[in-house]
Amino acid sequence: MRATVKDVARRAGVSPKTVSNVMNGIVQVSAPTRLRVEQAMAELDYVPNLSARGLRNGRSGVIALALPDLATPYSAEVAHHIVEVAHEQGWIVQIEETGSDPQREQELMTRARSNLIDGLILNPVVLDESAVKVGVALPPVVLLGEVTQQLADRVFVDSLGAARDMTLALAKTGRKRIAVLGTTQGRGSAAAILRTQGYEAAMDSLGIPRDESLLIPCEKWTPETAAKALGAFLDTNPVPDALFCFTDSMAIGALSVLWKRGLRVPEDIAVAGFDDIADGRYAVPSLTTVSFDKRTMASEALRLLTERMGDRAHGQRVVSVEYSIVERDSSGA
Amino acid sequence: MRATVKDVARRAGVSPKTVSNVMNGIVQVSAPTRLRVEQAMAELDYVPNLSARGLRNGRSGVIALALPDLATPYSAEVAHHIVEVAHEQGWIVQIEETGSDPQREQELMTRARSNLIDGLILNPVVLDESAVKVGVALPPVVLLGEVTQQLADRVFVDSLGAARDMTLALAKTGRKRIAVLGTTQGRGSAAAILRTQGYEAAMDSLGIPRDESLLIPCEKWTPETAAKALGAFLDTNPVPDALFCFTDSMAIGALSVLWKRGLRVPEDIAVAGFDDIADGRYAVPSLTTVSFDKRTMASEALRLLTERMGDRAHGQRVVSVEYSIVERDSSGA
DNA sequence: GTCTCACATTACATCGATGTAATAGCGAGG
DNA sequence: CCTCGCTATTACATCGATGTAATGTGAGAC
């Protein structure tokens, strides 16, 4: 059986509450008593029961991280940084995948309210509208990325500005027929809309007439779907000068298709992505992309969350993470 | 304030225990009573407090997944499948990163014993020896992958066999100077040792004399380190016919270096990896690799874990997941 | 009509840690 | 020497859900 405060107390010859006081350090405990208790804890190999503590305190020390799909390189990198930062601050991280299953969102919210978690970092992609349920009965929530409605604290990268700057960077070398991959028809994700707008803003400012046919739709932002979408596009359209993919994952799928078709990157067509995932650096050719510090993103998200948990925050706060255009071989800089 | 069993009981005109009985369904509850209780739960938007339940039951419904680094594509894919399978079975998953910090392992074990988790799935890489601490006072543990000592239940892919088969597959097209990337000097990870042995077994059976210089060491299995290691190798050695990288991540780093040096894959050199990560399919050229079903791996790991949690398991059990050689463009099949 | 027996329901205690309020201990000032 | 006042420590109740043992309720058998 595992030791409890009671056991430690008995061994140290004090009351359970004194043991608790030693652990929490809020109430004064005399040096000799503290020493005896600490020794007893060590001897019994005492480890506090977090369920009991959570029940009593109403806090569990656990935060949840909800992402669409952990296997996506971008999500994985974000998760990595959040877990790392959270651990440094003593938080335990629970993973929730929202996937494509809309019911999962409901379960997630239910679980979020089951008191096992003190806060939630949510990367909404499919579930913009579901986030509406972020109500008063829920623990604090921080959103990651672009959204259509501002419903909670949020950390994001300026998709519109970044897409505009990337388009301008591609145009810099004289390329005019610039296509984008990843637009959505009808109501799409906030990121898709904003990145498309950024692209169009850049084309407008360059004085290049808009060409609807250069908007290559791709609902799911994966290499598979991107490859398929680009393949279909190339079957019926002339090759553009440049291709701006809305994520690096899509760009990797695109590079694969271009290579298979014998199109040289960047000679025949420049390619760029968004997110600066690790794989882009080792793509063939290495991928030009929109880069930002995911570590900063993670620590800002955690800061917002913990501040709100401590009731030291009011109103909805928004933190923008700086981005930069990183030009690698795929755009022939 | 959130509703508790007491509130639900009051509203339904029954005792708290009856509410509990309705939820757990072990004790018989008459249909009308059950209905009243369920209605009351719905009206009050009742959600059970998992801390309280965990305290009372000694079970939290949470399992931990410990990986070296969540940002690694392989780890991310494994995590994805484990989270997915676990969620289907109603488990909550907590993520722990063991990283390169050896002290993290200790914290991990401590946390594992804090009763917030009912079981642990551990992917040991750096921490073979630390797993020794897997003692009686710990919750059930399942190991993922190769280890040097059999310390707990385990799910793995036969690294030696797979490495042998891959080497044979590369040799099939007449290639004789086959190098491997990812060997370790001195005591390395179990996987590194076994894959090296598999390669050597294949070379022996082919009657090709061993050539120590073709063992390219690379301690950390990342694209960065692989690229560096391969670059250094190529600076001082003739180009081999084929290169078997011990992970797909390393292969991706390798492809990048080969391309930068103007070496054509597979014409000048065939390349293969191990793990069948999604990116490999979209590498340029697409990557030949050792493939296995990660979903099966995940569900087997969870099966072993839950069986042991239910005391329905004795002795140390080992499950081997089948692998296959998938030949894509990088080996010119 | 009464007695049994089976089953549904309840009162109470419990899991482990900790806040609250009361107590014990001790030194200084009158 | 006694009281006041401060600090370290303790006893007890509490968080919410659930197992245990006891109680209540009904149908069926004689």
Side-chain angles (χ1 to χ4, degrees), chain A residues 24-37:
Chain A
N24 295 289
I26 300 169
V27 181
Q28 276 290 0
V29 177
S30 67
T33 307
R34 146 165 282 121
L35 209 71
R36 278 216 316 287
V37 170

Side-chain angles (χ1 to χ4, degrees), chain A residues 312-332:
Chain A
R312 296 311 281 135
H314 305 284
Q316 284 174 353
R317 298 167 304 156
V318 176
V319 172
S320 158
V321 176
E322 289 190 15
Y323 64 86
S324 64
I325 306 297
V326 175
E327 303 194 67
R328 301 209 184 94
D329 299 335
S330 71
S331 66

Side-chain angles (χ1 to χ4, degrees), chain B residues 141-165:
Chain B
V141 173
V142 171
L143 300 177
L144 233 46
E146 306 286 10
V147 293
T148 46
Q149 295 169 275
Q150 181 66 27
L151 298 152
D153 288 345
R154 185 162 73 95
V155 179
F156 76 111
V157 173
D158 176 13
S159 273
L160 197 155
R164 188 195 52 222
D165 292 354

